[in-house]
């Protein structure tokens, strides 16, 4: 089983806001209360879309 924590960081999934596929994984500081979001390339949509943190 893969390790899901790195010290004070947790592994989070980024989900495409257009089609809903989960494409990217990032580490995030556990003490931060904000959600990650960034523009990434979605292979299903075949364009750059906003990806937001999901469960």
């Amino acid at each position: 089983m893969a390790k899901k924590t790195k010290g004070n960081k947790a592994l989070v999934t980024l989900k495409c806001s257009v089609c809903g596929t989960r494409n990217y994984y990032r580490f995030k500081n556990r003490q931060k209360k904000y959600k990650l979001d960034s523009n990434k390339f979605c292979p299903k949509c075949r364009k750059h879309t906003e990806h937001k943190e999901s469960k």
Side-chain angles (χ1 to χ4, degrees):
M1 176 139 203
K3 194 172 186 182
K4 296 193 178 184
T5 59
K6 255 188 172 180
N8 197 22
K9 298 189 180 223
L11 188 66
V12 295
T13 305
L14 297 179
K15 182 171 116 177
C16 178
S17 60
V18 176
C19 64
T21 57
R22 295 181 177 132
N23 300 319
Y24 295 97
Y25 301 95
R26 295 284 179 248
F27 282 103
K28 177 182 130 176
N29 191 343
R30 288 178 185 234
Q31 296 174 344
K32 303 294 180 181
K33 300 296 179 187
Y34 61 88
K35 291 200 171 199
L36 291 176
D37 60 337
S38 62
N39 286 326
K40 298 281 189 183
F41 180 78
C42 179
K44 188 173 180 182
C45 298
R46 296 183 51 95
K47 59 183 176 181
H48 282 83
T49 58
E50 185 177 20
H51 283 68
K52 293 184 178 181
E53 178 182 338
S54 66
K55 291 184 177 182

